Amino acid sequence: MLTMKLSQSQLYRLSIAGRTASSLSLLGVATIFTTFTFSEHFRGPTHRIMLINGFYNLFDFIATMISVSGPEAGDDSALCRFQAFSLQMFPVADVLWTVAMTWDVVLVVFYHYEPERLRRLEKKYIVVITTLTFVPAFVFLFIRNAEKGPLYGSVQFWCSISPNWVLFRIIFYYAPIWLLILGVLILYIVIGHELFQLRHELMLTSNDCLALSSRTSPSNESVRRTNRDDMKDLEGPIIRQQSAVSLRKFLLMPILYFLALLATWVAPTINRVYAFRHPGKEPYPLMMAVATLGSLRGFWNGIIFISLRSKARR
């Protein structure tokens, strides 16, 4: 049953807000799937990671779409436990995919990884991220004691880690998420600093592309043997032949993705810290912000996905 004291009208408005935001996010995920399938201009390395993450987001937003129906079904119901499991696993996976996206940027900027090498890493990302998120979410299904009850239970307007286990939720949910977000922020600071320091040494073309080819390839050796005028003529065709990417867009897309993620987690985190300090006294406007903003990740992801085309060439 519901553990919070809200009127039926308040619960109704919370469910409407959450389900509306979830519907927009499901539309965003569908946009990612459709655009990737039918347009070759949206198949860059970052687009691919957003596509994979879209499958994880799908379960996340189905869970938020359930809304108050989970708590109303009861803590021991299959619906509530499915909702709690999904809201434990898939939002954390979303953050980890942001880390993977940022790591791809590091590999391209510092190690000149080609798209094919990045693609081979995707299976490893899937295994690691799925394992790190599935195992704890699954184990939590079986944790309970006589004093606090089951670990998964009703939390305001959906099922998640029960308020009786609020410290557990902070340690195993919000703390890792914010550590990962902080790690991503630090990586972008390092990337930005390094790019500024090496801006004249990177293999950048006049159209803002970063060449991903090996510097020791035969074609590059032949370029070195030409005079400076011939090099200007040959540089463009050679870079086009060897998987170049727009550095600005390659960096901009993950950064926007990160900012959307950051905006998503501010309200839920403030709400959880407030609930920890003042149990059962969470302000209703803050609950509304959580119900809305916490379910909009897929919507922002869809906008970011279609707003930046990759400069892929044959």
Side-chain angles (χ1 to χ4, degrees):
M1 65 179 183
L2 293 172
T3 59
M4 60 183 182
K5 296 181 180 180
L6 292 175
S7 67
Q8 288 299 316
S9 62
Q10 287 177 320
L11 286 174
Y12 177 75
R13 288 194 291 270
L14 284 172
S15 66
I16 292 297
R19 285 168 175 162
T20 301
S22 300
S23 299
L24 292 174
S25 286
L26 289 172
L27 179 62
V29 172
T31 300
I32 291 174
F33 292 163
T34 303
T35 306
F36 185 91
T37 301
F38 293 103
S39 177
E40 64 179 11
H41 298 294
F42 297 88
R43 296 179 185 174
T46 305
H47 287 103
R48 288 183 58 83
I49 285 187
M50 292 188 70
L51 175 76
I52 298 171
N53 187 37
F55 288 97
Y56 290 74
N57 288 158
L58 189 61
F59 290 94
D60 183 3
F61 304 131
I62 288 174
T64 56
M65 180 71 77
I66 293 173
S67 188
V68 298
S69 297
E72 288 173 349
D75 290 354
D76 291 320
S77 67
L79 184 64
C80 180
R81 290 165 70 79
F82 167 77
Q83 186 182 42
F85 169 85
S86 299
L87 292 179
Q88 175 64 33
M89 175 177 175
F90 296 108
V92 180
D94 185 68
V95 180
L96 286 171
W97 279 112
T98 304
V99 175
M101 192 182 300
T102 307
W103 186 244
D104 271 5
V105 175
V106 171
L107 294 177
V108 168
V109 171
F110 294 105
Y111 301 98
H112 285 211
Y113 265 50
E114 299 179 2
E116 187 57 37
R117 294 185 70 185
L118 296 178
R119 182 176 300 185
R120 290 198 294 267
L121 292 174
E122 291 170 3
K123 292 182 179 179
K124 296 181 181 179
Y125 292 156
I126 292 173
V127 171
V128 172
I129 291 174
T130 302
T131 302
L132 289 177
T133 55
F134 173 81
V135 171
F138 181 75
V139 171
F140 291 170
L141 287 169
F142 305 98
I143 297 179
R144 65 172 62 221
N145 62 34
E147 179 184 356
K148 296 182 178 181
L151 188 145
Y152 284 149
S154 59
V155 182
Q156 300 169 350
F157 39 84
W158 49 42
C159 289
S160 186
I161 294 179
S162 169
N164 295 331
W165 300 80
V166 62
L167 182 60
F168 200 87
R169 182 171 177 80
I170 291 175
I171 294 174
F172 291 96
Y173 190 74
Y174 286 103
I177 284 173
W178 279 101
L179 284 175
L180 290 171
I181 290 176
L182 179 61
V184 170
L185 179 61
I186 292 173
L187 281 177
Y188 277 125
I189 292 174
V190 172
I191 291 170
H193 178 267
E194 194 69 13
L195 287 177
F196 181 79
Q197 295 293 324
L198 302 178
R199 62 191 182 280
H200 298 304
E201 299 178 26
L202 292 173
M203 291 196 303
L204 293 176
T205 68
S206 58
N207 65 349
D208 182 44
C209 282
L210 175 67
L212 302 181
S213 58
S214 171
R215 293 180 183 232
T216 59
S217 64
S219 58
N220 281 345
E221 288 296 330
S222 65
V223 170
R224 288 193 186 97
R225 297 190 187 101
T226 62
N227 58 39
R228 190 176 301 272
D229 292 334
D230 290 336
M231 186 181 294
K232 292 180 180 178
D233 295 332
L234 293 174
E235 183 183 27
I238 290 176
I239 289 176
R240 281 195 295 270
Q241 293 168 6
Q242 298 175 1
S243 286
V245 297
S246 169
L247 181 60
R248 183 179 66 254
K249 289 191 175 182
F250 188 82
L251 283 170
L252 183 59
M253 191 172 181
I255 290 174
L256 291 176
Y257 189 82
F258 169 73
L259 292 176
L261 181 74
L262 189 65
T264 298
W265 282 103
V266 170
T269 303
I270 293 175
N271 182 64
R272 190 49 48 205
V273 173
Y274 191 95
F276 180 70
R277 293 176 59 88
H278 308 281
K281 297 181 180 179
E282 298 94 322
Y284 179 73
L286 186 56
M287 294 184 189
M288 184 64 72
V290 173
T292 305
L293 298 178
S295 305
L296 273 178
R297 287 191 304 277
F299 176 72
W300 301 128
N301 292 351
I303 291 178
I304 295 170
F305 188 91
I306 63 176
S307 63
L308 296 174
R309 289 176 44 172
S310 62
K311 289 187 176 181
R313 295 183 176 89
R314 292 186 181 275

